[in-house]
Amino acid sequence: MAEAIGMMEGAFFVPKTEIFAWINKTLKVNITKIESLASGSLYCQIFDIIHPGKLSLSKVSWKAKLAHEFINNYKILQQAFLKCNISKTIEVDRLARGIYQDNLEFAQWLKRYFDLHCGGRAEAYDAVAKRGGQEPDLSFAEGGKPKSARPITKPQTNSPAPMKNQGTSTMPRTEKKPLQQLNQTKENKPVSVDSIKKIVFSDTISDSQKIVQLKGLFGAPVTEVTNTIEEEEKLNL
């Protein structure tokens, strides 16, 4: 029987609003989400209308909220399919996880099967009495899918930490003039530029004395000091 309902048949283009209206009227419930069908209990009762006595509604869990309770309902439905020689595959894992498209397509298939084989039995069927007065608990579908559905987690990626700016400065650098570079003793004590010029350009002391005095100031050869002073003079021209 199942093979007669192909995927391209009009049954699989029935909108969910029509599915809701059909199930709510037939079973005296109030579903507004396709995911509410994931427990399998309402599928079982629809099948009980089509084939009375082929499944035991007393074994159906109307308050099912957990995955193993959903699966138990689908086992009952599968056994009824076998009794009626229905070869339709029930994708238990996907239906029980509340996957929207799978539940929509199964509900569309079941409605078409219902229309073909139920006849007028639905009008005389007392859905509430058949459930023993129990109301199906559909709270598991709050938020759009059953709480038992496997959560989708995003893979974590270890992004490298941004590198710190080490050893760099945003402050502008200023170049030192030649005499400013030389104007430090080994003990890091400042020396007056005027005192250097006074020694170098003095006419009253000999060159040897100039060398001794400059070495006393810098501890550097007099030629280096003299060249530095000449560079300074060129910069000031």
Side-chain angles (χ1 to χ4, degrees):
M1 296 182 210
E3 290 81 1
I5 306 174
M7 285 297 296
M8 295 307 294
E9 190 170 331
F12 291 97
F13 297 95
V14 174
K16 65 180 182 179
T17 52
E18 188 173 334
I19 297 293
F20 295 155
W22 164 61
I23 292 178
N24 289 338
K25 179 181 178 181
T26 305
L27 301 182
K28 304 298 186 291
V29 291
N30 183 29
I31 67 169
T32 58
K33 298 175 182 176
I34 287 295
E35 294 85 355
S36 298
L37 300 171
S39 70
S41 61
L42 300 184
Y43 293 142
C44 286
Q45 191 163 24
I46 288 290
F47 195 82
D48 183 63
I49 300 174
I50 305 169
H51 297 289
K54 295 300 181 179
L55 59 75
S56 177
L57 286 180
S58 62
K59 295 181 180 180
V60 173
S61 176
W62 304 106
K63 306 297 183 182
K65 292 184 179 180
L66 303 176
H68 72 274
E69 296 173 322
F70 294 1
I71 292 172
N72 179 66
N73 287 341
Y74 284 108
K75 286 182 179 179
I76 295 172
L77 186 61
Q78 283 177 323
Q79 291 171 359
F81 271 35
L82 290 174
K83 289 179 182 179
C84 297
N85 296 317
I86 299 173
S87 60
K88 169 70 175 176
T89 300
I90 301 176
E91 300 287 350
V92 176
D93 180 64
R94 297 179 66 83
L95 294 172
R97 285 164 55 196
I99 297 178
Y100 176 90
Q101 190 62 34
D102 290 85
N103 277 277
L104 176 61
E105 290 179 2
F106 190 77
Q108 290 169 331
W109 177 90
L110 192 58
K111 183 181 187 305
R112 179 57 177 161
Y113 187 84
F114 177 92
D115 292 340
L116 291 173
H117 302 287
C118 183
R121 287 188 293 274
E123 296 180 6
Y125 187 85
D126 189 341
V128 178
K130 287 284 187 177
R131 293 194 297 265
Q134 296 188 71
E135 287 298 321
D137 188 348
L138 307 177
S139 61
F140 64 83
E142 291 177 3
K145 63 181 179 180
K147 294 179 182 178
S148 59
R150 299 171 189 170
I152 300 174
T153 58
K154 296 182 177 179
Q156 295 182 350
T157 56
N158 296 323
S159 301
M163 296 186 64
K164 294 182 179 180
N165 189 10
Q166 298 179 348
T168 59
S169 174
T170 57
M171 296 296 291
R173 298 179 61 183
T174 56
E175 290 190 11
K176 291 183 178 181
K177 292 184 178 182
L179 278 179
Q180 288 176 321
Q181 293 175 338
L182 188 62
N183 192 18
Q184 298 288 328
T185 65
K186 291 183 180 179
E187 291 81 14
N188 202 30
K189 295 180 181 179
V191 178
S192 169
V193 174
D194 290 337
S195 64
I196 297 172
K197 290 182 177 181
K198 184 176 180 181
I199 294 173
V200 173
F201 297 110
S202 173
D203 295 328
T204 59
I205 59 177
S206 65
D207 291 341
S208 60
Q209 290 177 326
K210 291 179 182 179
I211 293 173
V212 172
Q213 292 184 25
L214 288 173
K215 281 188 176 181
L217 288 176
F218 294 100
V222 67
T223 54
E224 181 180 343
V225 177
T226 306
N227 291 338
T228 302
I229 294 174
E230 290 176 354
E231 290 180 19
E232 179 77 12
E233 294 294 336
K234 291 178 181 179
L235 289 175
N236 293 330
L237 291 177

